[in-house]
Amino acid sequence: MLLRDSHDLAVPPSTPVEDVVPAGGVPLRALAYPELRYMGSKHRLIPWIHDVLSTLDFETALDPFCGTGCVAYLMKAMGRQVTACDFLGFTTLVAQATVANATRTLDGADVDAILSPRADADDFIARTFDGVFFTADDRVFLDRASAGLRRLDDPDARAVAYAALFRSCLKKQPRGVFTVSGDLARYDDGRRDLRLSLEEHFREQVAVFNAAVFDNGRANRAFQADVFETDAPGVDLVYLDPPYVPRSDDNCYVKRYHFLEGLSCYWEDLEIMQDTKVKKIEKRFTPFSYRRTAVDAFERLFARFAKSTIVLSYSSNGYPDLAILEGLLRRRKRRIDLFERQHRYNFGTHASVERARVTEYILVGRG
Ligand SMILES: C[S@@+](CC[C@H](N)C(=O)[O-])C[C@H]1O[C@@H](n2cnc3c(N)ncnc32)[C@H](O)[C@@H]1O
């Protein structure tokens, strides 16, 4: 898309609008990042995170808990060299599509190739998730698309297709989580997202992710790894947004997104817990989820990245609390700055909305 009216921006009208950065403002690309319904997503906090990051001196950055990829993508849009990681496979694929990928988009021929019927396509999803998720046609489509996109040779092309598929599933699944199944009529409020077939969603989402692809002239990367195995030696800044131990409930990503994690590898080497209603896979251990391990995990986290500027996102409803975290960070960093603002996460049921009203913190440790 080209800029039509550039009066206020003092840039030539031929400039692609995505490349416009209003004076002192957030790159428009970062604001246009495809939002995924994902627990803890910072998408709506991007302008604030940008304001904080733009006060810091860095050229290279690591986001080892990248989730939807929106913060890694913000830093890419700010012109930095970015490495994005997550211990889940499906989130890593999204980051590969948007952060690492500089040029590859999908054209009509790619989409036709992905969607063409195949005699050799498995029917694993149709069989396994019958009566659990989506309509029968949607499940057949997912089996077909999975077979098609796994044949794409170019890993970036595959990643764009996967990202489009994941966002399609998140839009169509009520509440965007895979903890609910069966008769979902009670969720049907006539929303377009629930009415479209997954194939119709997918075609739209390919265009959405194509539009997010751009080259910032740097060698950006995305790979799947546990944070304690992630290595980015000499990186200037590390943005840390780990899960936190909630006051109640749990924060298990696999419980909520097991279907997408399975889809990301067609359940290869993953064992389905057949006695569960929604056909879950085993959850993955992370020390940030438990009171008994969280403090030690933060200690090790800050030690691991002690040579970099540390930017930590955190919420008032998590454990350990801010004072403990600040104390831990002080052991590694001479200068600490605290930024805070009120925020309301849209995630969750009506009953949990009160709980979702929090103070969001960013702790910056330098020196
Ligand atoms: C709060 S979310 C990050 C949200 C992200 N900043 C965004 O805006 O979308 C935390 C992420 O950490 C990942 N995660 C949890 N434990 C991890 C670990 N030990 N190593 C790497 N990633 C982990 C989860 O899969 C999840 O995507």
Side-chain angles (χ1 to χ4, degrees), residues 25-31 33 42-43 45-54 58 61 63 69-80 82 98-99 214 216 239 362:
V26 196
L28 294 186
R29 274 187 182 288
L31 296 178
Y33 190 76
K42 297 294 176 288
H43 193 277
L45 292 168
I46 286 296
W48 179 55
I49 295 173
H50 168 266
D51 289 350
V52 174
L53 290 175
S54 54
F58 68 106
D63 180 352
C70 64
V71 178
Y73 189 84
L74 164 69
M75 296 191 282
K76 177 181 178 183
M78 292 169 74
R80 306 313 202 276
V82 183
T98 57
V99 178
F214 79 106
N216 75 345
Y239 171 74
I362 298 180

Side-chain angles (χ1 to χ4, degrees), residues 33 36 38-44 46 49 63-72 85-88 90-91 225-230 239-244 251 253-254 257 284-289 313 345:
Y33 190 76
L36 292 146
Y38 191 67
M39 181 169 66
S41 166
K42 297 294 176 288
H43 193 277
R44 289 188 305 125
I46 286 296
I49 295 173
D63 180 352
F65 301 95
C66 70
T68 67
C70 64
V71 178
C85 305
D86 199 284
F87 79 165
L88 295 183
F90 86 93
T91 45
D226 187 280
V227 66
F228 294 110
E229 275 144 32
T230 307
Y239 171 74
L240 299 175
D241 187 16
Y244 50 86
N251 65 1
Y253 282 87
V254 173
Y257 305 109
R284 208 156 301 169
F285 173 76
T286 182
F288 298 96
S289 290
S313 268
Y345 281 96

